[in-house]
């Protein structure tokens, strides 16, 4: 027996002991203390292997499943020593705190996934198999959210701050890894959907392999983030940058975590395009070794592009020149006409339109822009909008092979105050004919 | 025999004489002179009656049809004495000149319609019936354009100048009459489509009645316009106002007329919201009697609303405050993201979005906003846009019951110069489910 296997044998025995004690209901805090060294010595990738052996030895999958939560909890706390260290001076509610917290959840779910998939292999009972499959589907579906919350927040809110400072390699590598994990989750879900199309043995083998691969990838990412990305952010980002990130987090969402509220920043939000991109010596030296290595020999140039140009209009979500605004409206696939709160035409989009609009109607009361017989209806719609009783009035007509969709919507400000009404007209026959899917990667020149 | 009928008997004889001479090929100018008094004495509504009688007396429908063009020409010039008077000092190309010219065409078509419909009643030959029906369908379809060119220009380009001066009754009455004529054209087309569903006698009776009704309505409108509306415009509108009207005419289009180019205005265009709305005594006194009557006893108040407010952005087609621009983009049924010519995200629309966008991406190169593996495709699309080789790249995906349509379009200025690219995302399952029609008049509170 090799040294490794002997070692695993020992760990397995201790694990069994631990699990049994948990099962008996012994105090968790005391157990944590007692098995601290054991837990620290087990890598996250070893656990499922040991558990699998326990299953073989007759401990029922259900039994292990029950203990799973507690076990993962213990395991996580044990191995996450460095993480704990990192987190100790970050108050809850701080975006970095939230990211660390999410990583705990991700590790837990990755472990659970692996454990259940391994357990399934050794489960003969059909009812039990069904139960475990149900749990696996639940976890796999849940894990999809990692992609559109935790990873997405990093890609959209955080990476821009590194890119702006000239550090583009780290985000690119991480994003590539994120996408690999996303792909594996998709593949896992695909395998899970083929339960009745495949031989059981073949199915369960594919399932277990994919679960292990995904679990590895997720845990690997947690380690990369906790040890490279987050320390880098800690070294570089100012309070204002974190305030800006915090302000946008909610729109994307979190993975199984609700941020706390200990963090009370005072800085004003600083968006990526507003930051000073020069790296100080102090910042450079406090970067993780891996990042220092990556940057060595590279000319680090910050992105100095000014976002607000001379004459630009500052909008809530960007900067546009009047020329761009005109052109954007002209190129929209919908024609719009806007009447203000006093029912006067203020604006219409230019370009090719379904129903012609001419500057002569600017300032004209909308009631005078319609055939006299429909004025009454126009007024009733506007009344319903102003009173907040309706939020849309839609119509559709067909003429000369065109299918025209016309929508009126009240425009309100952030306080719900009525600012006017928008008429939106769209030729939708192309849309109505679309079938199936055509994705970005299907594009051909 | 009553006086009227005796008179008509006389006119009919003279008409017959005229038509025969036209048929023989006699010189039109000489005939015009010879029959001037006759033509002046015949009202436009009498002609079809006389022609119908001629048909009864054995002159073939085809014969009359051939003579129709020349006849209408002669008739029109004869009765249009006052119009000629009005037009004599208006150069070709002037919007008023164009309107008068169109009215000549409208009268001609109205007459033709009536003539052919009356002729059809007396036609026994099936081949001939088919031929005449073909002509009638052609005329009726052509007449639809009166609604969306001649009438539409008046409603959209001209009426605002009267409304702004407080004269709202005249536009409202005329628009109501326009809509009546539009309705009759629609009804006529409906009858024409029922040739094979109805008894011939019933069909031809309905057709003749509707044609006569429509013909009357069209001619009546020409008289109202030539005698009331146009003289009013002549009395009130300044050169700058006509210049503005002229600049927008083309977008709406003309009825069978191509404006000439004698008119060489020098004034700057004046939109309705830019004019001085006070009426001078001279203007008031040169208004047609009918309008003077209509305005008597009424307090004439011009519309003084300022269109451009403090802080408004002046766009090509209207005025909007930054607050309104933000709100409009939020309320659009499409989500947009705009990257400038240097591939940097400049703006995205706020509000509820399908794919979240956060301010952190403003100023970010678009290549860094995508998963690394799709960057190559993004670049190829942008290259094709910049080189002018493509004008759209579209994709559609389905997820969780949503059907999402994604479109990329290059945004160019009026000289075709590339300004950037717009990403447009829209959830279209509602649109895909629309069927049939729902019109404004179907709206219920």
């Amino acid at each position: 027996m090799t040294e490794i296997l002997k070692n695993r044998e020992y760990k397995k025995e201790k694990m069994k002991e631990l699990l049994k004690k948990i099962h008996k209901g012994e105090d968790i805090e005391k157990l944590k203390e007692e098995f601290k060294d054991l837990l620290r010595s087990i890598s996250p990738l070893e656990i499922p292997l040991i558990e699998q052996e326990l299953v073989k030895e007759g401990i029922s999958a259900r039994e292990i499943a029950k203990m799973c939560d507690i076990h993962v909890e213990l395991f996580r706390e044990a191995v996450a020593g460095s993480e704990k260290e990192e987190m100790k001076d970050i108050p809850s509610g701080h975006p970095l705190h939230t990211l660390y917290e999410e990583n705990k959840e991700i590790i837990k779910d990755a472990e659970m996934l692996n454990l259940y998939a391994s357990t399934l292999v050794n489960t003969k009972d059909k009812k039990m198999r069904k139960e475990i499959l149900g749990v696996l589907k639940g976890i796999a579906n849940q894990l999809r959210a990692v992609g559109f919350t935790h990873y997405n927040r990093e890609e959209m809110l955080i990476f821009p701050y590194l890119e702006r400072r000239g550090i583009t390699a780290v985000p690119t590598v991480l994003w590539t890894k994120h996408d690999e994990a996303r792909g594996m989750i998709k593949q896992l879900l695909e395998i899970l959907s083929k339960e009745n199309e495949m031989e059981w043995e073949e199915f369960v083998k594919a399932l277990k392999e994919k679960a292990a691969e995904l679990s590895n990838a997720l845990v690997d990412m947690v380690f990369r983030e906790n040890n490279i990305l987050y320390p880098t952010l800690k070294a570089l980002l100012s309070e204002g940058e974190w305030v800006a990130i915090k302000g946008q987090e909610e729109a994307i969402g979190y993975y199984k975590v609700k941020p706390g509220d200990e963090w009370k920043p005072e800085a004003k939000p600083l968006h990526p395009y507003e930051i000073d991109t020069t790296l100080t010596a102090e910042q450079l030296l406090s970067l993780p070794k891996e990042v220092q290595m990556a940057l060595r020999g590279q000319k680090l140039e910050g992105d100095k592009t000014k976002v607000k140009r001379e004459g630009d209009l500052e909008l809530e979500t960007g900067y546009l020149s009047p020329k761009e605004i005109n052109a954007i409206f002209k190129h929209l696939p919908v024609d719009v006409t806007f009447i203000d709160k006093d029912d006067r035409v203020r604006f219409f989009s230019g370009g090719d339109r379904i129903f012609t609009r001419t500057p002569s109607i600017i300032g004209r009361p909308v009631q005078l822009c319609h055939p006299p017989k429909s004025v009454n209806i126009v007024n009733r719609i506007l009344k319903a909008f102003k009173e907040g009783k309706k939020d849309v009035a839609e119509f559709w007509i067909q003429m000369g092979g065109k299918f025209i969709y016309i929508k009126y919507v009240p425009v309100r400000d952030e306080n719900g105050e009525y600012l006017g009404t928008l008429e939106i007209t769209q030729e939708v026959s192309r849309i109505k004919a679309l079938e199936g899917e055509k994705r970005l990667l299907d594009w051909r020149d």
Side-chain angles (χ1 to χ4, degrees), chain A:
Chain A
M1 210 182 259
T2 67
E3 202 52 33
I4 292 174
L5 280 182
K6 238 199 288 179
N7 192 15
R8 183 179 294 170
E9 202 57 31
Y10 167 77
K11 286 181 188 169
K12 194 175 76 183
E13 286 310 315
K14 295 296 282 181
M15 275 286 282
K16 212 150 54 171
E17 205 184 313
L18 168 60
L19 292 174
K20 279 178 187 158
K21 285 186 173 177
I22 292 173
H23 188 52
K24 274 191 210 147
E26 284 194 18
D27 184 62
I28 298 292
E29 290 308 311
K30 268 173 76 180
L31 290 175
K32 274 191 201 173
E33 196 49 40
E34 189 182 338
F35 290 89
K36 194 165 60 182
D37 292 336
L38 165 70
L39 291 165
R40 282 218 177 115
S41 74
I42 303 178
S43 100
L45 305 181
E46 252 178 322
I47 304 241
L49 296 173
I50 294 169
E51 282 166 336
Q52 192 176 332
E53 286 175 39
L54 290 174
V55 170
K56 273 189 199 149
E57 286 177 20
I59 297 183
S60 87
R62 179 172 293 194
E63 198 120 336
I64 294 189
K66 269 190 218 156
M67 293 185 280
C68 193
D69 246 31
I70 303 168
H71 142 250
V72 174
E73 182 81 10
L74 282 174
F75 154 73
R76 196 167 28 71
E77 290 196 19
V79 296
S82 66
E83 172 192 311
K84 251 187 158 166
E85 191 60 30
E86 288 287 350
M87 280 185 75
K88 76 169 189 288
D89 49 356
I90 308 173
S92 81
H94 188 290
L96 207 45
H97 189 277
T98 308
L99 288 167
Y100 277 119
E101 287 292 330
E102 285 177 318
N103 270 348
K104 289 187 200 167
E105 296 297 328
I106 292 169
I107 289 219
K108 189 165 139 184
D109 286 347
E111 289 305 319
M112 297 264 284
L113 179 73
N114 210 355
L115 170 63
Y116 276 96
S118 305
T119 306
L120 188 65
V121 179
N122 303 295
T123 304
K124 302 279 176 268
D125 181 66
K126 291 213 168 167
K127 216 181 129 198
M128 183 79 95
R129 281 179 179 175
K130 223 182 146 184
E131 213 170 294
I132 296 175
L133 269 174
V135 176
L136 277 169
K137 280 178 194 167
I139 299 173
N141 267 312
Q142 173 67 47
L143 281 171
R144 288 177 54 241
V146 173
F148 56 77
T149 60
H150 184 79
Y151 292 171
N152 196 236
R153 287 211 319 284
E154 293 174 345
E155 291 154 1
M156 289 300 156
L157 305 185
I158 289 174
F159 291 175
Y161 289 103
L162 299 180
E163 295 159 8
R164 202 69 199 175
R165 288 177 165 93
I167 304 173
T168 51
V170 174
T172 303
V173 170
L174 290 180
W175 199 333
T176 304
K177 293 270 165 201
H178 289 171
D179 278 354
E180 283 171 14
R182 285 179 174 116
M184 289 172 202
I185 293 169
K186 225 173 140 182
Q187 290 153 13
L188 181 67
L189 282 164
E190 249 168 59
I191 296 172
L192 279 165
S193 73
K194 287 187 182 148
E195 181 189 346
N196 299 318
E197 291 166 40
M198 293 167 82
E199 288 280 324
W200 176 257
E201 294 303 323
E202 192 195 348
F203 167 71
V204 92
K205 183 170 175 276
L207 185 59
K208 198 194 140 201
E209 277 175 15
K210 191 53 72 182
E213 189 191 25
L214 170 59
S215 180
N216 269 5
L218 290 169
V219 171
D220 177 68
M221 180 53 61
V222 167
F223 279 79
R224 282 172 192 264
E225 290 180 352
N226 288 4
N227 297 315
I228 303 174
L229 178 63
Y230 301 164
T232 304
L233 298 175
K234 228 181 145 185
L236 299 181
L237 269 58
S238 67
E239 190 179 66
E241 297 175 55
W242 288 117
V243 172
I245 291 168
K246 174 86 179 171
Q248 302 166 65
E249 278 183 355
E250 191 93 13
I252 298 180
Y254 308 99
Y255 188 70
K256 292 182 145 189
V257 152
K258 204 182 164 304
D261 54 8
E262 281 169 29
W263 188 47
K264 311 274 185 215
E266 286 174 4
K268 275 208 276 190
L270 263 182
H271 290 296
Y273 53 87
E274 297 167 322
I275 64 170
D276 178 1
T277 58
T278 30
L279 296 188
T280 65
E282 193 201 334
Q283 282 179 324
L284 273 170
L285 293 176
S286 48
L287 286 174
K289 295 246 147 41
E290 295 85 345
V291 178
Q292 286 179 358
M293 294 278 285
L295 296 180
R296 194 165 298 166
Q298 191 192 328
K299 207 175 149 201
L300 204 61
E301 268 192 81
D303 185 343
K304 302 251 187 281
T305 323
K306 285 261 182 300
V307 164
K308 187 175 178 181
R309 301 154 304 188
E310 181 95 23
D312 263 6
L313 189 71
E314 184 171 347
L315 295 165
E316 278 171 27
T317 44
Y319 298 88
L320 291 174
S321 69
K323 187 176 177 170
E324 285 170 336
I325 295 177
N326 282 317
I328 286 173
F329 275 112
K330 273 184 200 161
H331 287 78
L332 283 182
V334 295
D335 297 341
V336 306
T337 306
F338 178 67
I339 57 165
D340 65 15
K341 61 179 171 44
D342 303 316
D343 303 346
R344 297 212 177 229
V345 179
R346 293 216 70 81
F347 173 78
F348 60 89
S349 55
D352 282 339
R353 294 186 51 111
I354 301 164
F355 300 117
T356 314
R357 295 279 180 275
T358 48
S360 55
I361 59 159
I362 290 165
R364 195 180 191 189
V366 71
Q367 289 81 2
L368 298 178
C369 299
H370 281 82
K373 73 173 168 190
S374 54
V375 167
N376 175 32
I377 290 179
V378 171
N379 281 332
R380 269 156 55 208
I381 293 174
L382 292 177
K383 188 164 179 276
F385 285 175
K386 288 174 187 175
E387 290 173 353
K389 286 183 183 158
K390 290 246 180 195
D391 271 319
V392 66
E394 49 169 12
F395 307 94
W396 50 97
I397 54 176
Q398 301 187 40
M399 48 188 231
K402 288 180 178 167
F403 196 110
I404 297 161
Y405 182 43
I406 304 156
K407 219 168 142 175
Y408 297 93
V409 293
V411 173
R412 308 187 201 277
D413 69 10
E414 57 276 18
N415 306 316
E417 202 191 322
Y418 178 80
L419 296 180
T421 285
L422 206 52
E423 178 198 62
I424 301 136
T425 315
Q426 187 174 16
E427 205 289 299
V428 295
S429 52
R430 167 87 188 129
I431 287 174
K432 290 181 80 69
L434 298 177
E435 278 173 29
E437 294 199 319
K438 186 187 170 198
R439 293 176 164 271
L440 187 63
L441 295 171
D442 303 330
W443 197 77
R444 297 289 167 267
D445 302 71

